[in-house]
Amino acid sequence: MPLAPGREAVVRVTAATLWSGPEAVRPVDRPAIGPLADIPTWVSGMDPDQQVSDCVLSQLLLGERVLVEELRPDGWARVVAVEQPAARLDPRGYPGWLPAAQLAADHPAPASYVVDAVITALRATPGGAVALAGVILGTRFAAAGPARGGWLPVEVPGHDAPLWASEVDLTPLPTRVPTAAEVLAVARRLDDVLYVWGGVSPYGIDCSGLVHLAWRRFGVRLPRDADDLARATTPLPLGDERPGDLYFFARPGQQVHHIGFVSAAPGAGGHRQMLHACYTKRRVLDEPMAPDRAATLVGAHRVTQ
């Protein structure tokens, strides 16, 4: 069945970038909009200013569902990313634009496994040639048969035959809500990843993307943006936070603009430690909360299910 407005589709590349509009795409973005979406080349080709352009809204992982709203003759699709809540923008999910070539009209079986490795590759045969590189933490798959010699066949959008994933890099999709400490442990594995506005991958990530991706690894669907995350989580009295909870930041009279994980229990004298994707230092860092950051701290929240 071909792509069509009003129908759902799934992402067929390892990471599809969601754009504010086709006209916003820059020459430097060409690797990200091709049919294979070469995200490492795209990120490495940008300078620091280009890495924080607001033309990028988010990123979607392989197999992620979208609702197609419009297909243009130039190959662009206007979609709603239904697995990334964005109540402020659209109650159905995060709206934006994708190259239609990065979508498939497949309807895979319900997922039973999730990628636990930060980055892995899928192979054409058990232990054989790489058929799809750069598969990202939190990507979900349906098994397509029994494992063979440490390799599991999985259904992959856009591929007629199953591809093979290393069993070491997969884990069964969780059936229980994770602890905050478990989610923090996943987020720590992304330490030192480059900051990219709108990024949700180990090649480049932003502050809310780090939180979204770490919880996604456990099958928990959280909002994509920091201000929506603040509304979807439970406030705590400052001082009651524990590792894995969330800090939120806003300037007076403005909406929340930054988020990070509580990475240590609060200490004497207001000392606080956080793991976050830092816009100013352009990296994921675990660091003491600086005074200028603490001046915009508006609360600590907990994810409750």
Side-chain angles (χ1 to χ4, degrees), residues 51-90:
Q51 290 165 356
V52 295
S53 169
D54 59 6
C55 63
V56 174
L57 301 176
S58 187
Q59 288 181 313
L60 287 65
L61 304 189
L62 177 66
E64 191 166 340
R65 295 181 299 118
V66 302
L67 174 64
V68 178
E69 295 214 296
E70 178 185 348
L71 291 170
R72 293 199 338 187
D74 62 0
W76 282 89
R78 182 165 56 89
V79 303
V80 176
V82 299
E83 298 185 50
Q84 297 194 17
R88 179 175 53 86
L89 301 173
D90 190 317

Side-chain angles (χ1 to χ4, degrees), residues 66-207:
V66 302
L67 174 64
V68 178
E69 295 214 296
E70 178 185 348
L71 291 170
R72 293 199 338 187
D74 62 0
W76 282 89
R78 182 165 56 89
V79 303
V80 176
V82 299
E83 298 185 50
Q84 297 194 17
R88 179 175 53 86
L89 301 173
D90 190 317
R92 299 170 299 171
Y94 214 114
W97 292 82
L98 295 173
Q102 296 181 359
L103 298 173
D106 300 2
H107 294 281
S112 50
Y113 288 88
V114 61
V115 174
D116 186 50
V118 173
I119 299 173
T120 188
L122 302 179
R123 299 176 186 270
T125 59
V130 171
L132 190 61
V135 178
I136 291 167
L137 174 77
T139 302
R140 300 185 294 271
F141 293 110
R148 186 191 306 169
W151 296 86
L152 183 74
V154 294
E155 295 185 15
V156 182
H159 292 259
D160 294 332
L163 299 181
W164 295 79
S166 169
E167 286 191 287
V168 173
D169 292 341
L170 299 181
T171 190
L173 198 63
T175 57
R176 63 171 179 84
V177 176
T179 66
E182 288 173 324
V183 178
L184 178 60
V186 168
R188 288 189 192 279
R189 291 161 59 192
L190 298 167
D191 189 38
D192 204 42
V193 167
L194 194 68
Y195 186 102
V196 172
W197 183 277
V200 188
S201 89
Y203 300 111
I205 202 163
D206 68 11
C207 64

Side-chain angles (χ1 to χ4, degrees), residues 177-298:
V177 176
T179 66
E182 288 173 324
V183 178
L184 178 60
V186 168
R188 288 189 192 279
R189 291 161 59 192
L190 298 167
D191 189 38
D192 204 42
V193 167
L194 194 68
Y195 186 102
V196 172
W197 183 277
V200 188
S201 89
Y203 300 111
I205 202 163
D206 68 11
C207 64
S208 54
L210 178 66
V211 174
H212 178 86
L213 185 60
W215 278 93
R216 182 191 182 106
R217 152 64 182 83
F218 294 94
V220 177
R221 188 183 301 171
L222 289 185
R224 174 61 182 87
D225 286 345
D227 54 338
D228 285 325
L229 276 161
R231 286 187 285 269
T233 50
T234 303
L236 305 168
L238 279 174
D240 287 358
E241 66 267 29
R242 62 178 185 239
D245 289 332
L246 302 172
Y247 285 130
F248 289 89
F249 302 85
R251 298 179 182 88
Q254 298 185 26
Q255 67 184 19
V256 168
H257 68 271
H258 189 60
I259 184 175
F261 282 100
V262 178
S263 59
H271 174 83
R272 290 184 166 89
Q273 185 86 10
M274 65 185 295
L275 174 72
H276 64 140
C278 181
Y279 178 94
T280 56
K281 298 177 182 176
R282 306 292 169 87
R283 293 280 174 183
V284 175
L285 300 170
D286 190 347
E287 61 179 357
M289 191 182 298
D292 59 339
R293 179 74 72 185
T296 62
L297 176 64
V298 293

